[in-house]
């Protein structure tokens, strides 16, 4: 899941990234985390 933070052959150095893209990615990531927590709660209660 966290392969983004590892240095890989494709990305030998950190390049400046599009902040809008990064923000939208983070928002999607947080949203999926919240959805996952909701599913976990439902699984526990059912």
């Amino acid at each position: 899941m966290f392969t983004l933070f590892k240095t890989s052959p494709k990305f030998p150095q950190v390049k400046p990234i599009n902040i809008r893209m990064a923000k939208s990615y983070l928002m999607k990531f947080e949203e999926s985390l919240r959805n996952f927590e909701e599913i976990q709660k439902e699984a526990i209660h059912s």
Side-chain angles (χ1 to χ4, degrees):
M1 186 185 282
F2 292 105
T3 50
L4 279 179
F5 302 109
K6 293 178 186 170
T7 52
S8 67
K10 290 179 188 170
F11 303 103
Q13 66 201 29
V14 177
K15 300 187 179 102
I17 55 169
N18 190 332
I19 292 180
R20 262 209 316 276
M21 281 181 64
K23 277 186 183 175
S24 66
Y25 176 81
L26 280 173
M27 280 174 64
K28 284 176 188 160
F29 184 69
E30 287 178 3
E31 199 176 312
S32 62
L33 274 181
R34 276 197 298 271
N35 291 342
F36 182 70
E37 286 177 6
E38 289 295 316
I39 293 168
Q40 291 281 71
K41 285 179 193 166
E42 286 175 16
I44 290 169
H45 290 304
S46 59

